[in-house]
Amino acid sequence: MEINRKSFQGVGNIIRFNWHFYVLAVGTVMLLLLLAQQIGTVFQPFVYILCFLIVSCIAVSLLASFYVYDLSDLYNLNWMDKKDSDQVIINIHSGFDETSTLLIQAFPEASLSVFDFYDPIKHTEVSIKRAREAYPPFPGTQSISTDYIPLTDASVDTIVVALSAHEIRDAAERIRFFKELFRILKPGGNIYITEHLRDVPNFLAYNIGFFHFHSKNTWLQTFKQSGLQVIQEIKTTPFISTFILTRYGNSI
């Protein structure tokens, strides 16, 4: 499938939406270098090492992000089953939607609905606010809460939640959200949850930033308590997992 993404779009968006972090990092390094000129030569190597570590962490995270969002097959949607073209699909995101246009391209005969559970009171990250300002919503996008999706029971063939469910930080709220996914999913239907995990590869790539993600065990517990089971886990890259879920026991 041909995708319409610009070169460096992924890593560029990360810098664009989180520029305050990079400004702070650069400012810190500059201050440390100035400090190194004022202190004794005994301590200068330690300051230089600290500067090196800061720059290295930023460089590694950006390189990993470039690999994930610009070089990998993540946006080819190869992790989805495309055998049924006329299915009912919903795409759910938390304020930044890079998937709906791709779903229309991949499933031109499908009925696609898009829902946005972004809540400015709960989801206070400035990066999401900047992303919403930079990219207009997909036409027809409906705002929802994580507690209720305005669809009838067992009415959806495929549900996609890409790189957004981790924004639901409260465990109880997250389970309620996944119970809603269970409710609207048809027996035999699939849910695709794509996420970074709080694991070793993401720690090596993003350092303490990996705490923003949930562990695999947390996701598995959430799925289980919501009546869902994992039928497959696909590693698009060492940093990204897609869990393919269905109703537990495949029945209502």
Side-chain angles (χ1 to χ4, degrees):
M1 181 185 68
E2 181 180 356
I3 56 176
N4 183 25
R5 285 179 65 83
K6 299 177 182 178
S7 299
F8 301 97
Q9 178 175 328
V11 72
N13 280 337
I14 289 174
I15 296 173
R16 181 181 183 184
F17 303 150
N18 299 279
W19 59 262
H20 60 289
F21 169 79
Y22 299 103
V23 169
L24 177 62
V26 171
T28 299
V29 170
M30 293 179 65
L31 286 174
L32 287 172
L33 291 175
L34 289 174
L35 176 64
Q37 305 304 314
Q38 307 300 320
I39 63 178
T41 56
V42 174
F43 297 102
Q44 285 181 348
F46 297 101
V47 176
Y48 293 142
I49 289 172
L50 180 57
C51 291
F52 174 78
L53 291 175
I54 294 173
V55 172
S56 297
C57 287
I58 294 173
V60 168
S61 69
L62 289 177
L63 286 172
S65 297
F66 178 61
Y67 168 59
V68 169
Y69 299 114
D70 294 298
L71 297 182
S72 78
D73 292 333
L74 175 64
Y75 293 104
N76 289 332
L77 306 185
N78 292 332
W79 34 270
M80 292 191 66
D81 183 358
K82 302 183 178 69
K83 63 182 180 181
D84 297 322
S85 59
D86 58 346
Q87 58 186 299
V88 176
I89 302 175
I90 67 168
N91 184 32
I92 306 178
H93 62 86
S94 59
F96 182 45
D97 179 9
E98 291 190 293
T99 315
S100 294
T101 299
L102 303 180
L103 288 169
I104 284 292
Q105 293 175 357
F107 302 92
E109 299 178 17
S111 171
L112 174 67
S113 298
V114 183
F115 298 100
D116 176 3
F117 66 74
Y118 172 76
D119 183 337
I121 297 177
K122 295 179 181 179
H123 312 133
T124 57
E125 289 193 30
V126 68
S127 58
I128 298 178
K129 181 179 179 180
R130 290 172 183 159
R132 290 172 63 85
E133 292 173 350
Y135 289 90
F138 186 81
T141 297
Q142 302 178 53
S143 294
I144 61 169
S145 73
T146 52
D147 292 329
Y148 179 68
I149 301 172
L151 294 173
T152 56
D153 296 357
S155 61
V156 178
D157 297 292
T158 299
I159 301 172
V160 178
V161 190
L163 301 170
S164 57
H166 68 275
E167 297 293 351
I168 307 174
R169 309 308 298 174
D170 181 74
E173 180 188 0
R174 194 163 54 248
I175 291 171
R176 292 195 300 272
F177 173 72
F178 275 88
K179 284 183 176 180
E180 273 295 282
L181 302 188
F182 174 96
R183 180 184 66 80
I184 64 175
L185 184 69
K186 291 181 180 179
N190 290 331
I191 303 172
Y192 296 87
I193 305 297
T194 299
E195 287 289 345
H196 290 273
L197 299 180
R198 189 184 295 179
D199 57 13
V200 172
N202 280 288
F203 172 73
L204 295 176
Y206 300 107
N207 202 263
I208 61 173
F210 94 134
F211 283 110
H212 185 63
F213 312 132
H214 300 308
S215 68
K216 181 176 179 177
N217 184 63
T218 295
W219 285 119
L220 295 180
Q221 288 298 317
T222 297
F223 304 152
K224 182 178 180 180
Q225 293 181 58
S226 305
L228 298 164
Q229 61 180 347
V230 178
I231 57 177
Q232 188 177 2
E233 179 186 356
I234 299 174
K235 298 293 289 188
T236 309
T237 74
F239 311 104
I240 292 284
S241 291
T242 293
F243 297 100
I244 305 177
L245 314 176
T246 192
R247 284 170 171 253
Y248 189 82
N250 223 6
S251 61
I252 298 179

